[in-house]
Amino acid sequence: MILNYKMKEIPKYERPRERLKKYGAVALSNVELLAILLQTGSKDESVLELSRRILYTLERPSMLLNMSLEELKTIKGIGPSKASTIVAALELYKRLIADLNKKKTVIKDASDVYYLFEDMAMLEQEHFYCLYLDTKLKIIAKKQLFIGGINANIITPRDIYKYSIRLNSPSVLFIHNHPSGDPTPSKSDLITTEKLVEGAKTIGVNVIDHIIIGKKSCYSIMLRKQINF
């Protein structure tokens, strides 16, 4: 059985790291994944044997999630270094899951946007942001895309919507500030917005609004119906 062999005795293409490279992590067993973390076994057993023994002594593999550093060190073959690696990997996993499960901010109207971006009113240059939203208008990501005057020749649909595709975001909302404090859109603002709306339609992305942040107030181009969203 391959578990009983030392790693150097296992054909290279059958080793966990090589299988991960070729087939992806999803194709590996729990024993193989743990073996990659542990890296080495001991003089008495291979890293695969050690991994199997650790997992098989647990009632369920998920019990590993709650084991402390000291508890792991009581397992034969697990010293401080291996125990630390396991604890660190599991803690990272817990944090990533917690981040995914965080309550997302829902954008209901322009006031929600102003609440999130009102500090932009103090900026001395124009900053252009895009909020990438899910189907329930919850924020998936916020990206600052440009700094400087808003210009249709500089801000292109390709620059913005490549993230829509990467993030699987069906809707976007644009925000930028006016350092003057007056949020009334300029002609350039309207031309740029119209260009971005038309670009979004070609790939099936919905532009919710373009909010301009001023001092103590904001301006919704969508609500004023100055262009056709």
Side-chain angles (χ1 to χ4, degrees):
M1 189 176 181
I2 203 166
L3 289 173
N4 298 322
Y5 288 93
K6 297 292 184 182
M7 191 61 71
K8 64 182 180 181
E9 298 172 335
I10 299 173
K12 189 173 181 180
Y13 63 87
E14 286 289 350
R15 297 174 189 175
R17 288 183 185 277
E18 298 305 317
R19 281 174 37 77
L20 186 148
K21 291 176 186 176
K22 186 173 182 179
Y23 303 111
V26 70
L28 273 62
S29 67
N30 291 342
V31 170
E32 290 175 304
L33 292 171
L34 182 56
I36 289 175
L37 287 177
L38 296 178
Q39 296 189 36
T40 60
S42 67
K43 63 178 182 179
D44 298 318
E45 58 187 350
S46 71
V47 67
L48 287 168
E49 288 180 296
L50 175 59
S51 299
R52 180 181 62 172
R53 180 165 57 79
I54 292 170
L55 292 174
Y56 283 21
T57 55
L58 302 175
E59 186 177 330
R60 299 184 310 278
S62 59
M63 292 178 67
L64 198 61
L65 285 168
N66 298 315
M67 293 187 72
S68 68
L69 190 70
E70 295 305 317
E71 288 173 326
L72 285 167
K73 285 163 58 179
T74 64
I75 299 173
K76 182 182 177 182
I78 300 296
S81 179
K82 284 183 169 61
S84 296
T85 298
I86 294 172
V87 169
L90 294 176
E91 179 60 28
L92 178 60
Y93 164 77
K94 292 175 186 177
R95 293 184 187 186
L96 293 175
I97 293 299
D99 183 64
L100 285 174
N101 292 332
K102 280 182 181 177
K103 185 177 180 181
K104 297 178 181 177
T105 301
V106 180
I107 300 299
K108 298 177 182 177
D109 52 40
S111 63
D112 291 329
V113 177
Y114 186 72
Y115 174 77
L116 292 172
F117 289 90
E118 60 181 327
D119 289 347
M120 288 178 66
M122 301 296 108
L123 298 175
E124 295 181 355
Q125 282 186 292
E126 290 190 15
H127 288 61
F128 185 93
Y129 281 85
C130 182
L131 292 182
Y132 295 89
L133 311 171
D134 66 14
T135 54
K136 296 183 179 179
L137 302 186
K138 293 180 180 179
I139 298 174
I140 297 173
K142 175 182 76 173
K143 289 191 177 291
Q144 177 183 286
L145 298 174
F146 301 96
I147 298 177
I150 303 303
N151 187 306
N153 294 321
I154 298 175
I155 301 176
T156 66
R158 182 179 62 182
D159 294 323
I160 292 172
Y161 302 128
K162 64 183 179 183
Y163 295 111
S164 296
I165 296 170
R166 291 179 191 175
L167 297 167
N168 194 27
S169 169
S171 299
V172 295
L173 190 149
F174 307 128
I175 308 101
H176 85 276
N177 64 303
H178 279 179
S180 67
D182 180 0
T184 305
S186 65
K187 183 178 180 180
S188 179
D189 291 337
L190 296 175
I191 292 173
T192 300
T193 304
E194 189 167 22
K195 178 181 177 181
L196 294 178
V197 169
E198 291 304 312
K201 290 177 180 177
T202 64
I203 59 170
V205 171
N206 182 34
V207 177
I208 302 299
D209 203 346
H210 184 171
I211 306 293
I212 302 172
I213 305 295
K215 288 183 172 65
K216 299 183 179 180
S217 65
C218 65
Y219 189 106
S220 165
I221 292 178
M222 185 275 292
L223 286 179
R224 302 297 178 94
K225 299 181 179 180
Q226 289 184 277
I227 65 171
N228 183 19
F229 279 78

